[in-house]
Amino acid sequence: MRRLWILFCLLFTIPLSAQTDTIPNDLPATIFENLTVSNVEIRLPATDSIEFPELHFVVNETVCEVNIEFDSRVMALGTLAVNVYGAYEDYVCDEPAPSEQSVELSRFTEDQRYIVLVNNFSSQFYLPSREDGTSSEPFAVAWDADSSLIPFERSTSFINDVDIDLLDDETVSLTLSGDHPDGCETDTFTVIRPNHPFTNEYVTEVMRLLPQGVACPSALQPYDISAEVNRNSTFAPVSLASFVVDDVIYTRFDDAWEAMTEIPVAVTDVSVSQNNISLELDVPENCQSLTGARTSDFFSEVAIVVRANSESDCDGDLVSETLSFRTPTLPIFINGTAYDENGIISPQATAQSDQNSDEGNFMRVDTVIDSVDVIVLESFPMQLQVTVTGSQPDGCDLPVQVEQTVEDDVVTVEIYRDVPLDVMCPAVLLPYEETIDIDGSFEGGTITININDFSTSVDL
């Protein structure tokens, strides 16, 4: 018999200090705007002080209010992830910008390296022990000093295989293997963050931090990395944590880890009257539904999903149910859609930036080139074609841009896509193959052809 596990009591019974408060990726695109940060520093007190370290940074935009959400629990795993955003407002504000902000780091661990992820900013640092004060480790910060953090480019790797073992009653071992999207050789990190709004679930990524402006070889680079997670020091000790890798949820059932897929439940006819919420659900009659809920200072969130493994038969006729509850905070997100007393909230932003709206907010992502075949056409003067094979380093299906220049005997071709910064792309490779006509003609000699980071030549 299908059971619906309703956890709306979480909206009232979980103390705010015990909640995980990082915004899910779909929230800023609707009624919140991620803000640009700069001048990020780690400020450490004196070694004999009882004060905590602090993360300091500057918010560049003008907003009505800067909202900061930070879950300190995953610091034990070396992740310092902070979301900084401007909340939904229905009026224009003109508070001065830039503004300096700070976050207290109460759950730090000495002699540990940390990955810092603050909106657009990525970095790393090594926290030495108070007894030593300083360290010769790379990117070490010093006690009783303010240390500026070096910005890096964040590079997320592809995960092909996941192996989870229970080492003892408290420790879980995660082993992840796959490919880096380029040939740059640098440290590889396992980054673990809360999966909201479900408690005791953690999104797991493999990440590298590359120096800004570095040009990496266009080649996939295999990796294998392991991490140990102690539930009593980091997660809720009442049960083992579940881990989300590439949208697959690995959960412990009957002494084994099962891979579960997740489908949002259809939610219709949502009614919001002040803080009273009612909605209708359409759930397959032979499937189980799971509900997660949380509140923060700025919004509430509810997610209702169906989870099943590959052996589950989760289908059948839809059954409608009506739910009613109260929430202490509006707006409320229900399966990713925001509501207030007036219904669905249209996308809008409060930040005022100097971004050129005509050009858009995009990131150029180069195509990975595996091989290039040069074809000499039967013509005079001679003309060339190149057949290019490779892959896009993510799963976003976007238009491919091809630009080329010819100078003397050197042909340069750039193949790339413009990916919006607010789009989350699946971590899968998309095959690419295209035949490109080279501009102009050639009378002889050796022609060098550069396509992204791939070079070849042909003798005419």
Side-chain angles (χ1 to χ4, degrees):
M1 179 178 180
R2 180 179 59 83
R3 295 187 303 161
L4 185 63
W5 299 339
I6 301 300
L7 306 180
F8 292 118
C9 59
L10 292 175
L11 293 170
F12 303 96
T13 58
I14 296 180
L16 190 59
S17 60
Q19 295 175 31
T20 52
D21 287 330
T22 305
I23 312 173
N25 290 325
D26 57 346
L27 300 194
T30 51
I31 66 167
F32 297 110
E33 179 174 353
N34 279 338
L35 305 179
T36 305
V37 302
S38 60
N39 299 68
V40 183
E41 296 180 337
I42 293 294
R43 298 184 177 180
L44 300 185
T47 55
D48 58 353
S49 173
I50 62 173
E51 296 180 354
F52 293 114
E54 290 185 337
L55 175 73
H56 276 250
F57 52 88
V58 171
V59 171
N60 298 334
E61 291 93 347
T62 297
V63 293
C64 301
E65 180 183 10
V66 175
N67 298 326
I68 299 174
E69 296 198 322
F70 167 56
D71 188 339
S72 63
R73 296 179 301 169
V74 292
M75 284 191 66
L77 296 174
T79 302
L80 202 171
V82 180
N83 274 348
V84 186
Y85 61 97
Y88 164 77
E89 300 286 356
D90 56 3
Y91 58 88
V92 177
C93 52
D94 56 359
E95 293 297 321
S99 62
E100 186 173 353
Q101 307 292 327
S102 63
V103 177
E104 184 179 86
L105 307 178
S106 59
R107 295 195 180 190
F108 65 92
T109 301
E110 299 177 8
D111 290 321
Q112 179 163 309
R113 185 167 305 282
Y114 285 93
I115 296 296
V116 181
L117 307 174
V118 187
N119 286 21
N120 59 293
F121 181 88
S122 303
S123 189
Q124 60 178 304
F125 69 92
Y126 181 84
L127 182 65
S129 67
R130 287 180 183 261
E131 181 179 353
D132 296 334
T134 59
S135 173
S136 59
E137 289 282 339
F139 310 108
V141 294
W143 289 89
D144 197 15
D146 298 346
S147 301
S148 297
L149 299 184
I150 300 172
F152 288 83
E153 297 288 346
R154 190 184 311 177
S155 176
T156 302
S157 302
F158 308 116
I159 301 175
N160 300 331
D161 295 302
V162 179
D163 186 19
I164 305 179
D165 292 322
L166 186 62
L167 301 183
D168 53 43
D169 291 340
E170 298 180 354
T171 307
V172 176
S173 173
L174 292 170
T175 300
L176 308 172
S177 60
D179 295 295
H180 300 311
D182 55 65
C184 273
E185 295 186 3
T186 187
D187 292 335
T188 302
F189 303 99
T190 302
V191 177
I192 299 179
R193 290 184 273 187
N195 183 39
H196 301 301
F198 295 102
T199 59
N200 209 30
E201 288 188 359
Y202 295 84
V203 177
T204 304
E205 301 173 87
V206 175
M207 184 178 298
R208 293 171 306 148
L209 299 180
L210 305 178
Q212 292 189 337
V214 66
C216 296
S218 294
L220 296 179
Q221 182 184 173
Y223 72 86
D224 192 295
I225 188 171
S226 297
E228 292 186 2
V229 178
N230 186 293
R231 63 173 178 171
N232 288 332
S233 63
T234 308
F235 305 116
V238 295
S239 62
L240 288 172
S242 297
F243 300 94
V244 184
V245 183
D246 284 346
D247 296 326
V248 178
I249 302 97
Y250 294 87
T251 303
R252 184 82 172 177
F253 287 118
D254 299 328
D255 298 328
W257 293 89
E258 290 193 19
M260 312 288 289
T261 56
E262 181 176 282
I263 303 173
V265 170
V267 177
T268 59
D269 297 327
V270 177
S271 174
V272 180
S273 176
Q274 293 183 346
N275 293 69
N276 296 305
I277 315 295
S278 66
L279 52 90
E280 292 186 3
L281 307 177
D282 291 332
V283 184
E285 59 183 355
N286 59 341
C287 302
Q288 291 185 339
S289 298
L290 176 66
T291 301
R294 70 172 178 132
T295 61
S296 75
D297 289 337
F298 318 113
F299 63 87
S300 300
E301 183 185 6
V302 172
I304 308 171
V305 300
V306 169
R307 288 183 178 174
N309 59 27
S310 59
E311 299 177 354
S312 299
D313 183 17
C314 189
D315 52 21
D317 296 333
L318 296 179
V319 178
S320 296
E321 294 192 15
T322 301
L323 300 177
S324 299
F325 57 95
R326 286 182 56 83
T327 178
T329 307
L330 290 178
I332 182 169
F333 288 84
I334 303 175
N335 279 9
T337 302
Y339 300 84
D340 63 7
E341 299 94 330
N342 300 316
I344 296 178
I345 301 176
S346 301
Q348 53 186 302
T350 61
Q352 303 167 14
S353 67
D354 295 329
Q355 177 90 32
N356 188 333
S357 59
D358 293 334
E359 296 181 0
N361 196 8
F362 295 95
M363 174 179 63
R364 171 171 163 160
V365 178
D366 289 341
T367 301
V368 178
I369 308 302
D370 295 330
S371 65
V372 175
D373 292 330
V374 182
I375 303 171
V376 181
L377 302 181
E378 295 181 359
S379 62
F380 186 84
M382 287 173 283
Q383 294 179 313
L384 301 179
Q385 286 182 339
V386 290
T387 298
V388 182
T389 59
S391 60
Q392 309 298 351
D394 57 64
C396 276
D397 188 8
L398 297 168
V400 178
Q401 310 294 329
V402 178
E403 298 178 359
Q404 58 174 293
T405 58
V406 179
E407 294 185 5
D408 298 329
D409 294 333
V410 178
V411 177
T412 301
V413 180
E414 298 178 343
I415 305 176
Y416 64 93
R417 294 164 306 141
D418 287 324
V419 179
L421 289 177
D422 58 355
V423 169
M424 297 298 293
C425 295
V428 296
L429 298 178
L430 287 181
Y432 173 82
E433 182 173 352
E434 187 68 36
T435 297
I436 302 169
D437 293 324
I438 301 301
D439 294 339
S441 58
F442 306 87
E443 294 184 357
T446 299
I447 308 299
T448 300
I449 301 173
N450 302 317
I451 303 180
N452 290 3
D453 291 330
F454 192 101
S455 294
T456 188
S457 62
V458 60
D459 294 325
L460 301 181

